[in-house]
Amino acid sequence: MVFVPLAIFVFGSASAVLSASTPKDPVRLRDLVKRGGTVTGPVLPLNFADPGLILPNGRAPWYVYSTSSSHGKVPYAISEDFKTWTGVKGDALPNPGSWVSPSNSAVWAPDVRQITSNSYVMYYTAFSAANGNHCIGAATSSTPAGPFNPQASPIVCDASGGGVIDASGFEAPGGTLYLVWKVDGNSMGKSTPIFIQPLGANGYTLQGKATQLITNDPVDGGIVEAPSLVYWDGFYYLFFSSNHYNTLKYDVSYAISKSVTGPYTKVQAPHAPLLVSGKCGTAGPGGATVINVLGESPTFSLMNGCGTLTIFEPIQDKYINAVFHNDINGKNVSAGRSMWQISDLTLSNGIATVNC
């Protein structure tokens, strides 16, 4: 469980307006005012594409992981407050595995998920030495900094479909783990469906069958990719990017469902896409990772000249944070893509909202 300080201040018992008992769906302070997720960037002004985000054990520091660059196979950075980020601290996956092509060993779109208090799994994309297509690998570590140790073989491949990329993990209400990914059909002039499949308790063994969630439509510019799934107040939100990543048409959009396996409905204008070039100063925004965080307020009392300052019994406080990449030169990917972020992304009744 994530613990995030949230103070509720009441001076004197006569002025108390909130009960110490928490209802099933408590009113959150941030819901009492008009708000929306705040877009900020660049928060990592260096080449840091396809960022993956995690808050280990629900406590700072936050970790972010990047596609391969001059900084390493999977560079990572940290933040104590989700405001200021360090530069690259190291390489979380220096060895992507024996199954990866030695002539093209770059790693794309890493996503790290915590399985237990000291068990982490990284999902990543690389070229397979066996078939020359993109496959999805998994690596494990006892710490979020790694180094992560790769499995001997990839966990998902689809040579006939054009390969697979952009894997991300998801834990559904109730604890079932899933893997979500994109079939890279655009590499062969085919469609680009996004699939989901259950995982075993270890976080990397596929179970059951894969289910298609969405695929590309004409409005998507031929591509949907970079899926990231979260659950919030009765809705599953599947965030994704559409259009070509190396153009200013790249975006962050989303689809919604009442069931983890769908069917999903793509949200349309004016509520989607969530981010397009020009909104909040972005250029080619995409490759987002969206995670939900659950915290509780602490409990204690203080005395001052006005009476007793009381902080009530813990009240659950949920919020959503996200990271994404953005063209550094404001034109295309030739100068690299820096990391931007969204703090407290608002999700309500199937609609996502951000502010600049």
Side-chain angles (χ1 to χ4, degrees), residues 61-346:
W62 300 77
Y63 281 71
V64 288
Y65 307 84
S66 166
T67 282
S68 293
S69 71
S70 60
H71 301 289
K73 294 294 184 186
V74 177
Y76 74 91
I78 64 175
S79 174
E80 294 290 343
D81 56 7
F82 204 71
K83 294 178 181 178
T84 302
W85 293 88
T86 66
V88 171
K89 299 290 288 184
D91 188 344
L93 187 70
N95 171 25
S98 59
W99 64 269
V100 175
S101 170
S103 62
N104 189 351
S105 60
V107 170
W108 286 269
D111 183 70
V112 174
R113 299 291 161 148
Q114 186 169 11
I115 308 304
T116 66
S117 61
N118 60 352
S119 174
Y120 299 83
V121 175
M122 176 187 291
Y123 312 108
Y124 59 96
T125 297
F127 274 110
S128 167
N131 59 34
N133 288 297
H134 283 117
C135 290
I136 292 166
T140 60
S141 175
S142 60
T143 72
F148 283 76
N149 300 307
Q151 297 298 300
S153 58
I155 59 174
V156 184
C157 287
D158 185 353
S160 63
V164 288
I165 66 171
D166 294 347
S168 64
F170 174 66
E171 181 177 349
T176 302
L177 303 177
Y178 291 89
L179 186 70
V180 187
W181 71 89
K182 170 212 173 183
V183 176
D184 202 28
N186 52 294
S187 66
M188 307 175 65
K190 296 183 177 182
S191 60
T192 62
I194 290 173
F195 282 89
I196 190 170
Q197 189 167 346
L199 291 165
N202 61 15
Y204 56 84
T205 301
L206 290 169
Q207 297 186 336
K209 296 182 179 180
T211 301
Q212 181 176 311
L213 302 184
I214 61 172
T215 191
N216 55 294
D217 295 308
V219 71
D220 301 311
I223 297 173
V224 290
E225 60 186 16
S228 185
L229 184 62
V230 295
Y231 173 82
W232 184 269
D233 287 351
F235 285 89
Y236 293 87
Y237 294 76
L238 176 65
F239 291 88
F240 62 90
S241 290
S242 56
N243 298 288
H244 288 268
Y245 78 97
N246 57 354
T247 72
L248 290 179
K249 291 184 178 181
Y250 207 49
D251 60 26
V252 177
S253 197
Y254 61 102
I256 59 171
S257 176
K258 285 286 191 174
S259 168
V260 65
T261 55
Y264 280 78
T265 301
K266 293 177 185 176
V267 179
Q268 304 296 326
H271 301 299
L274 180 69
L275 285 173
V276 295
S277 291
K279 185 172 183 178
C280 299
T282 61
T289 297
V290 184
I291 65 171
N292 51 359
V293 183
L294 175 63
E296 292 182 345
S297 64
T299 304
F300 59 89
S301 298
L302 297 174
M303 294 293 295
N304 63 18
C306 299
T308 302
L309 175 64
T310 301
I311 299 182
F312 287 114
E313 293 297 324
I315 295 178
Q316 287 189 338
D317 183 52
K318 301 183 293 183
Y319 60 101
I320 303 282
N321 280 354
V323 292
F324 63 95
H325 67 229
N326 191 77
D327 295 346
I328 291 176
N329 64 7
K331 301 176 182 178
N332 51 48
V333 300
S334 63
R337 291 161 285 175
S338 58
M339 189 183 86
W340 289 44
Q341 68 183 36
I342 305 173
S343 303
D344 196 15
L345 172 62
T346 299

